[in-house]
Amino acid sequence: MNNVHRFWVIGLSLLMGCGPTSETKKEPDGAELVATHCSGCHLPVKPEQLDKETWLKHVLPAMAPKLGIPTTANGEYYQVANNQQKSALSFAEWTQLVAYFEKNAPDSLKAAPREALKQDWSIFALEKPSESPESALTTMVQFHEGKIYSGQNGQPTLYAWDKTLRRSEAATLNSPVVNAAFVSPTEAVVTTIGTLLAVDQPVGEVVNVDLRTKKTKVIANALIRPIQSVPGDFNKDGRTDWIICGFGHNQGGLYLSVQQADGSYQTQPIRAEAGATQVVVDDFNKDGWPDCMALFAHGDEGLWLFTNDQKGGFEARNVQRFLPLAGSTSFQLIDLNKDGQLDLVYTSGDNSDYSKILKPYHGVYTFINQGDFKFKQQWFYPVNGSTKVIAADFDQDGDMDLATIAFFADFKRTPEESFIYFEQEANGHFVPHAVPAHAYGRWICMDAQDWDGDGDLDIVLGNYSRGFNNQDDYKPNWNMQLPFIVLRNKTRK
């Protein structure tokens, strides 16, 4: 992760409203009820975006309590006395809203058309470590100084793998490792998630690790499922501060941890909303002060720009919104068309919540910056359950290519989409190579760097081999014991 990370992120919510109000409407139809109560805090939803069964049995029962409509343990709605009802809409209106989805939602979703995958290894060759006796549950893979660092099997340990892919312990922490920021050749700041379960337990930490002595120092603790930490001197006092993504569950947020003169840290929220998935630090407005841009993946999914106010805080601005059903997983800012402006590459595909079906709008997107971070979609390629994208010139021909992983791929029909290398042949046109990596694992995290020192970018893929099976009657057919694989780039001879 910067894996997502990602990660490998698990447990996004589909909140459909912002909670109860005291007002009701006079006999609105179903579409009006949806516009009023299901679109106040995020992009509007439409019945055709999910199938009928998913709406009726999963998403709407999960939405109802958020709007003040009580449900039984089986997800059935019930009405309370009028003088006790504190809901956003009446029970009759809720019944009408449900009927609207039942009438208009399709029985199933059609797969989105896409250019056929080219089945080859393209510019890559496979390298792999020895298999481990236990199932691989890798939560982080990152390159650094000729080594691969990993977190795996729910252990509170940071591991290091040398060039021969032999493992050693780099540090012992308090919970599973999901991200590392390497601030020097011998120093890492490691994010530990606290718990892999989708619960609001404030036991995650951000910890400084001396890679020579294995000594640790806590920067921030009592965090709810943090998944990434990024450095910057945000108050320009000469000391390194940290922006932290607290993904959380129902709680969480984006946080700033400020280093004090005595070396301690004070942590404060920048945006106290769950779903902080990934953050990038840069001077986006070119005023000499570091800003940040963060992806949020709960309810009101989107990209927020936080401009440094030069007073210890930030001014927030939403620059891109995505469907609340999108399952946003990663983004990268990079100049795709060489006009000097940062464009957006984005993946949508977390599928571990209430709507565990294949979705035709999951995949990898590119958006071109029209100026002032106003983005216009340029390209989309459907990838079921897309988890992360890395944009780089992998084949060294002068333009940006893409590498993607998909933790929730369609393993029954197109398992090869779990890793795709998109070779850019012309401006905005990518040839999708289905590099046959799917037999070696189920990829949840990814990193790219010149690992072998030959001048081109190699890729490492982390294998989270068990659990989260959304497809009935399907048994995993990938390797369950390999913690990761390396795709060694052969472009440079």
Side-chain angles (χ1 to χ4, degrees), residues 136-407:
L137 300 175
T138 304
T139 52
M140 183 197 93
V141 284
Q142 289 178 233
F143 291 117
H144 175 63
E145 294 290 315
K147 294 183 178 180
I148 295 171
Y149 287 84
S150 72
Q152 56 197 70
N153 295 9
Q155 299 300 313
T157 307
L158 177 68
Y159 294 101
W161 304 74
D162 64 18
K163 284 291 184 65
T164 67
L165 298 182
R166 292 183 179 179
R167 190 182 82 176
S168 61
E169 291 189 8
T172 300
L173 302 132
N174 291 323
S175 68
V177 174
V178 293
N179 175 253
F182 295 97
V183 295
S184 80
T186 60
E187 183 183 5
V189 171
V190 176
T191 305
T192 64
I193 195 169
T195 175
L196 299 177
L197 301 175
V199 294
D200 290 318
Q201 293 182 0
V203 290
E205 295 181 320
V206 178
V207 183
N208 184 282
V209 175
D210 187 321
L211 298 174
R212 298 164 300 182
T213 65
K214 300 184 181 181
K215 291 183 178 179
T216 62
K217 176 186 175 182
V218 174
I219 291 174
N221 58 11
L223 300 169
I224 301 175
R225 303 180 77 216
I227 58 174
Q228 187 196 19
S229 304
V230 178
D233 183 4
F234 296 97
N235 55 9
K236 299 184 74 172
D237 63 357
R239 296 185 289 268
T240 300
D241 312 309
W242 291 87
I243 297 283
I244 303 167
C245 288
F247 185 82
H249 179 49
N250 293 318
Q251 303 173 44
L254 188 70
Y255 300 94
L256 172 63
S257 192
V258 179
Q259 186 175 176
Q260 308 300 300
D262 63 359
S264 64
Y265 292 82
Q266 291 185 357
T267 303
Q268 61 195 40
I270 298 173
R271 185 172 188 254
E273 297 288 340
T277 297
Q278 184 187 345
V279 65
V280 171
V281 171
D282 200 350
D283 180 10
F284 291 111
N285 61 359
K286 308 301 180 185
D287 66 352
W289 290 71
D291 314 304
C292 66
M293 197 171 293
L295 178 66
F296 282 78
H298 274 327
D300 190 12
E301 301 201 17
L303 200 62
W304 271 260
L305 171 62
F306 298 92
T307 305
N308 197 321
D309 67 7
Q310 305 180 20
K311 300 176 184 178
F314 296 87
E315 296 177 356
R317 170 189 155 201
N318 177 257
V319 295
Q320 190 73 23
R321 298 177 86 190
F322 305 111
L323 283 175
L325 307 169
S328 300
T329 47
S330 80
F331 78 101
Q332 187 173 342
L333 298 170
I334 196 164
D335 187 358
L336 292 172
N337 58 0
K338 301 180 182 180
D339 67 352
Q341 298 192 97
L342 291 174
D343 306 306
L344 171 63
V345 186
Y346 160 81
T347 54
S348 161
D350 184 86
N351 222 8
S352 62
D353 257 318
Y354 305 112
S355 57
K356 299 178 182 180
I357 61 168
L358 300 174
K359 302 178 177 69
Y361 41 85
H362 276 179
V364 56
Y365 296 75
T366 63
F367 297 84
I368 299 302
N369 191 341
Q370 307 297 298
D372 193 28
F373 295 103
K374 296 177 181 177
F375 296 109
K376 181 179 180 181
Q377 183 177 323
Q378 177 197 45
W379 175 81
F380 166 65
Y381 189 90
V383 181
N384 292 297
S386 188
T387 302
K388 186 176 182 179
V389 61
I390 294 178
D393 186 6
F394 288 102
D395 59 6
Q396 298 190 329
D397 65 351
D399 55 26
M400 292 295 113
D401 311 302
L402 307 175
T404 65
I405 55 173
F407 186 66

Side-chain angles (χ1 to χ4, degrees), residues 115-120 381 420-423 430-434:
E115 182 179 344
L117 291 165
K118 189 174 181 180
Q119 310 282 338
D120 62 19
Y381 189 90
I420 303 175
Y421 165 59
F422 293 92
E423 174 193 4
F430 298 87
V431 176
H433 295 266

